[in-house]
Amino acid sequence: MPNSENNGRKSPRRVTLADVAREVGASTITVSRALRRPEMVSEGLRQRISAAVADLGYLPDPAARALASRRSDVIGVIIPSVTNSVFADVLSGLYDTVGGTPYNVQLGNTRYRPEIEEQLIRIFLSQRPAGLIVAGIDQTDSSRRLLESADCPVVQIMELASDPVDMLVGFSHRAAARAATEHLLDRGYTAPTFLGARMDPRSERRLQGFRDALDAVGMSTEGRELTTTEPSSVHLGGALLDRHRARAPGTDAVFCNNDDLALGAAFAAQRAGLKVGRDIGICGFNDLEVMAAAHPSITSVRTFRRQMGETAALRVLDHLGGKETGPRVVDLSYKLIPRSSTDRGA
Amino acid sequence: MPNSENNGRKSPRRVTLADVAREVGASTITVSRALRRPEMVSEGLRQRISAAVADLGYLPDPAARALASRRSDVIGVIIPSVTNSVFADVLSGLYDTVGGTPYNVQLGNTRYRPEIEEQLIRIFLSQRPAGLIVAGIDQTDSSRRLLESADCPVVQIMELASDPVDMLVGFSHRAAARAATEHLLDRGYTAPTFLGARMDPRSERRLQGFRDALDAVGMSTEGRELTTTEPSSVHLGGALLDRHRARAPGTDAVFCNNDDLALGAAFAAQRAGLKVGRDIGICGFNDLEVMAAAHPSITSVRTFRRQMGETAALRVLDHLGGKETGPRVVDLSYKLIPRSSTDRGA
DNA sequence: TTGTAAGCGTTATCAA
DNA sequence: TTGATAACGCTTACAA
């Protein structure tokens, strides 16, 4: 510890409510009120209390507060990955929205493992969280039961469903993927393939959307899907494209599960001497910033990740503030952004 | 809340230590000991307690624990950005290392604002954290004083310094940048430029390293630096390169502050009809995964971000476990990874 | 508007 | 090895 020698002094006693109360000649409960419900305390007293608080440098003890009120200031957030930039954007929206409120975000990382998710839910619940935000709708049965029994607002994010545990903010991956695939067909590509990595439940739904689009035009999906459970990466996108082209040389377009794969596919195509767009159509998913800046620019399906974090946080905060307005389910939708990588004339 | 109708029942009373104690016919403090220091409790009792704990589904209340022990299970982590993938990697290492211990990571996001950093430090300290991990060494004076007075282990990360508050895990940005610039010169580029965005203190040190390298060979840095305070992005990398080439057409190489800029510069160069490597050398910083997969592959300076998170967490955990071994300062160094983008013959 | 009293669930301290 | 008791710092419930 920084002050381990300690200069002979004991760690200085903490400034408590009682100290502030003594300072202004009031009771602790009054000081407590002045801090949490200022309108319940008379003007003059309130001001003297503020002054004393600043003076003494009083900071509430969240543990004592949580113990007495049976309610912590923690908003628990459970996501499968911290490195995935998709979740990073969601988190950014969350932190920006929760920052400045009296609440704190605490993150749980499931690493895509349902049993860890369940454990994290238990741990969070044991803290009596102010709210809970969980990614996805594919909780195990017992996870779901735990969430249903939570006596705090719960928001599921990233997906759409008709039966949320409590509230839900997301969009339909299936519909978005279908739109992307239809875009490839509209642009005149005749032999599209789905390239997928990791294949979590969300990826599976995107694959469904891909199939929907092919089904709709009577096209077989046979040999038009190449997926792996490996974690996604740019490199893997290239490898998948190379592998698939070796087996199915006629392929003239790929819909990639995410933008990393699409970027990697674009690099691999160039490496193979193909002209992206003309020789092979490439569409990604999420529309990370790099897609617009790439050369050539890469078509993607934009998703509103930051807004998802913001909205989820707002729904929790509203509930905590007593405003239970707004719908339980928010569909943030998606938007196809056509670019050069799916322009055959480019 | 999920169970707001509540089915008529009150929210079920929490299972406490007392419940477990009653179940096994022991006192609460014994149960408490059995959980935290099993070796202090007799074998038989210990086993009956474990059984009862599992049976009743007892989970300790972290708030009560924190209040009574004056020590929370929170390891506070203060970083300037959650979206920056550099920090995402550090976080990933942190979460992986802290996960499975009784401690919890709680994240504070300064958004690159020193005053927010100071406020976050105060808030964390008011929680009596188990440990504190902060990015950088450029805290304000009062932030630094706060950290020095903390009675928990404190680890600064991302940089090197001879006077850490407590412990430090990082590397020299200045030396790394110098190595990158020397690489450009070694490869025969004669007119390198530094491209920088955001320009936080770490970026400034990288700029210093760039200058060091030019100074060493007697080259002027005049007109060889293009920086902006805008946040970094792939697009911006391209824009900076375009802007700089318009003013200084003789430029034959760029050292970019980070990989996003380098990637953007590579795209912009290709868009301008330049052959990356032959016509313009490009070197990035951090060596994100995309750099190796890009076409052409892009030279970068690898930094050990995940390991930085792991090491920082381990240092904290070791201290908490009483093992105060290991150096106070850990230099994780860096590694130049030469690739096609700085190969003039490619 | 202010205050009193009684906890919240755990651990530190001291004793047996 | 086990336990009784008194905190820890705050808020809820009830009074005045």
Side-chain angles (χ1 to χ4, degrees):
Chain A
M1 340 230 160
N3 63 349
S4 44
E5 326 78 5
N6 217 347
N7 302 336
R9 52 183 154 77
K10 304 206 40 160
S11 71
R13 205 181 56 77
R14 175 179 193 112
V15 178
T16 70
L17 267 190
D19 297 323
V20 179
R22 198 174 313 116
E23 181 83 3
V24 301
S27 69
T28 59
I29 185 63
T30 302
V31 178
S32 173
R33 287 199 190 101
L35 265 49
R36 291 172 301 132
R37 322 270 308 272
E39 74 280 6
M40 291 183 69
V41 174
S42 66
E43 170 88 35
L45 193 48
R46 198 191 320 164
Q47 293 192 344
R48 278 160 50 222
I49 290 175
S50 308
V53 163
D55 225 51
L56 301 174
Y58 169 75
L59 279 177
D61 182 328
R65 201 167 245 191
L67 186 58
S69 67
R70 299 155 191 219
R71 180 62 57 220
S72 82
D73 61 1
V74 168
I75 295 180
V77 177
I78 298 181
I79 58 176
S81 161
V82 264
T83 38
N84 187 327
S85 54
V86 166
F87 293 106
D89 288 333
V90 174
L91 280 184
S92 181
L94 274 173
Y95 277 100
D96 286 356
T97 306
V98 173
T101 73
Y103 300 99
N104 275 305
V105 173
Q106 198 162 316
L107 211 60
N109 179 3
T110 71
R111 301 187 229 169
Y112 292 97
R113 303 237 292 276
E115 70 278 15
I116 298 191
E117 177 172 56
E118 190 172 324
Q119 194 194 345
L120 285 170
I121 293 174
R122 276 181 214 286
I123 292 177
F124 274 126
L125 288 180
S126 82
Q127 298 191 45
R128 311 169 183 280
L132 229 34
I133 296 174
V134 304
I137 54 175
D138 299 286
Q139 287 77 29
T140 63
D141 285 350
S142 65
S143 286
R144 175 150 186 135
R145 272 193 300 276
L146 285 170
L147 291 175
E148 282 167 345
S149 72
D151 70 333
C152 66
V154 174
V155 185
Q156 290 164 295
I157 59 173
M158 305 301 295
E159 304 212 41
L160 225 47
S162 53
D163 59 341
V165 166
D166 182 10
M167 293 177 283
L168 186 152
V169 181
F171 67 96
S172 167
H173 290 251
R174 183 167 176 172
R178 175 172 183 159
T181 310
E182 286 171 347
H183 167 77
L184 290 176
L185 298 174
D186 288 350
R187 284 290 177 99
Y189 296 102
T190 57
T193 289
F194 179 92
L195 257 35
R198 171 134 274 149
M199 297 315 292
D200 58 14
R202 274 175 288 289
S203 299
E204 290 293 347
R205 291 189 187 98
R206 302 208 270 263
L207 175 52
Q208 268 306 329
F210 171 79
R211 289 174 181 161
D212 291 345
L214 294 206
D215 282 356
V217 297
M219 196 179 282
S220 163
T221 58
E222 183 72 28
R224 307 219 155 286
E225 302 175 2
L226 181 56
T227 63
T228 160
T229 54
E230 289 174 64
S232 181
S233 70
V234 178
H235 171 80
L236 182 59
L240 287 178
L241 183 70
D242 289 343
R243 202 183 309 165
H244 186 66
R245 288 213 322 129
R247 293 189 200 158
T251 300
D252 65 355
V254 287
F255 168 48
C256 300
N257 195 18
N258 66 46
D259 285 342
D260 280 353
L261 294 183
L263 188 58
F267 287 138
Q270 293 175 335
R271 208 165 258 131
L274 300 181
K275 184 148 195 302
V276 171
R278 187 193 63 192
D279 302 327
I280 183 150
I282 297 179
C283 178
F285 196 93
N286 276 323
D287 197 31
L288 300 186
E289 190 258 336
V290 66
M291 302 308 267
H295 175 71
S297 59
I298 303 175
T299 297
S300 194
V301 182
R302 181 170 299 167
T303 58
F304 303 94
R305 304 177 296 282
R306 157 171 280 274
Q307 200 186 333
M308 197 141 38
E310 291 169 351
T311 308
L314 280 177
R315 305 298 288 118
V316 169
L317 294 173
D318 278 357
H319 263 243
L320 294 173
K323 317 178 214 157
E324 304 215 4
T325 65
R328 289 188 109 57
V329 174
V330 179
D331 181 356
L332 256 24
S333 196
Y334 54 86
K335 186 175 180 198
L336 186 93
I337 312 287
R339 297 204 181 90
S340 308
S341 71
T342 51
D343 185 346
R344 300 172 77 211
Chain B
M1 340 230 159
N3 64 349
S4 42
E5 328 76 5
N6 218 349
N7 302 337
R9 52 184 153 76
K10 302 204 44 159
S11 70
R13 205 180 57 76
R14 173 178 195 114
V15 177
T16 71
L17 221 36
D19 297 323
V20 179
R22 198 173 315 114
E23 181 83 3
V24 301
S27 69
T28 60
I29 185 65
T30 302
V31 178
S32 173
R33 285 198 191 103
L35 265 46
R36 291 173 301 133
R37 322 269 308 272
E39 73 281 6
M40 291 184 70
V41 174
S42 65
E43 170 89 35
L45 193 47
R46 198 193 318 165
Q47 294 192 343
R48 277 159 52 222
I49 289 175
S50 309
V53 163
D55 224 51
L56 301 174
Y58 168 75
L59 279 176
D61 182 328
R65 199 166 245 190
L67 184 58
S69 67
R70 302 162 190 214
R71 178 64 56 223
S72 81
D73 61 2
V74 168
I75 296 181
V77 176
I78 299 181
I79 58 176
S81 161
V82 264
T83 39
N84 187 327
S85 54
V86 167
F87 293 107
D89 288 334
V90 174
L91 280 184
S92 181
L94 274 173
Y95 277 101
D96 285 356
T97 306
V98 173
T101 75
Y103 300 99
N104 275 306
V105 173
Q106 196 161 317
L107 210 60
N109 179 3
T110 71
R111 302 187 227 171
Y112 291 97
R113 303 238 292 276
E115 71 277 15
I116 297 191
E117 177 171 56
E118 190 171 324
Q119 194 194 344
L120 285 171
I121 294 174
R122 275 181 215 286
I123 292 177
F124 274 125
L125 288 180
S126 81
Q127 298 191 46
R128 312 170 182 280
L132 230 34
I133 296 174
V134 304
I137 55 176
D138 299 284
Q139 288 77 29
T140 63
D141 283 351
S142 63
S143 285
R144 177 155 183 128
R145 271 194 300 275
L146 285 170
L147 290 175
E148 280 166 347
S149 72
D151 71 334
C152 66
V154 174
V155 185
Q156 290 165 294
I157 59 172
M158 305 301 295
E159 303 213 42
L160 226 47
S162 53
D163 59 342
V165 165
D166 183 10
M167 293 177 282
L168 185 150
V169 180
F171 67 95
S172 167
H173 290 250
R174 183 167 175 171
R178 176 171 182 160
T181 311
E182 285 171 348
H183 167 76
L184 290 176
L185 298 174
D186 287 350
R187 284 289 177 99
Y189 297 101
T190 57
T193 291
F194 179 92
L195 258 35
R198 171 134 275 150
M199 296 317 288
D200 57 16
R202 272 175 290 288
S203 298
E204 291 293 347
R205 291 189 186 97
R206 301 208 268 263
L207 176 53
Q208 267 305 328
F210 171 80
R211 290 174 181 159
D212 291 345
L214 294 206
D215 283 356
V217 296
M219 196 179 284
S220 163
T221 58
E222 183 74 28
R224 307 218 155 287
E225 302 174 3
L226 180 56
T227 63
T228 159
T229 54
E230 288 174 64
S232 181
S233 70
V234 178
H235 172 80
L236 182 60
L240 287 177
L241 182 70
D242 289 343
R243 203 183 309 166
H244 186 64
R245 289 213 321 130
R247 292 190 202 156
T251 301
D252 65 356
V254 288
F255 168 47
C256 301
N257 196 18
N258 64 47
D259 286 342
D260 280 352
L261 295 182
L263 188 57
F267 287 137
Q270 293 175 333
R271 207 165 259 133
L274 300 180
K275 185 148 194 303
V276 171
R278 186 192 65 193
D279 302 328
I280 183 150
I282 298 179
C283 180
F285 197 94
N286 276 321
D287 196 32
L288 302 186
E289 190 258 337
V290 66
M291 303 308 266
H295 176 70
S297 61
I298 303 175
T299 297
S300 193
V301 182
R302 181 171 299 167
T303 58
F304 303 93
R305 305 177 295 282
R306 157 171 281 274
Q307 199 184 335
M308 198 142 36
E310 290 169 351
T311 309
L314 280 176
R315 305 299 287 119
V316 169
L317 294 174
D318 277 357
H319 263 243
L320 294 174
K323 317 178 216 158
E324 305 216 3
T325 65
R328 292 190 106 55
V329 174
V330 178
D331 181 356
L332 255 23
S333 195
Y334 53 87
K335 186 176 179 198
L336 186 92
I337 311 288
R339 298 204 181 90
S340 309
S341 72
T342 52
D343 184 347
R344 300 173 74 214

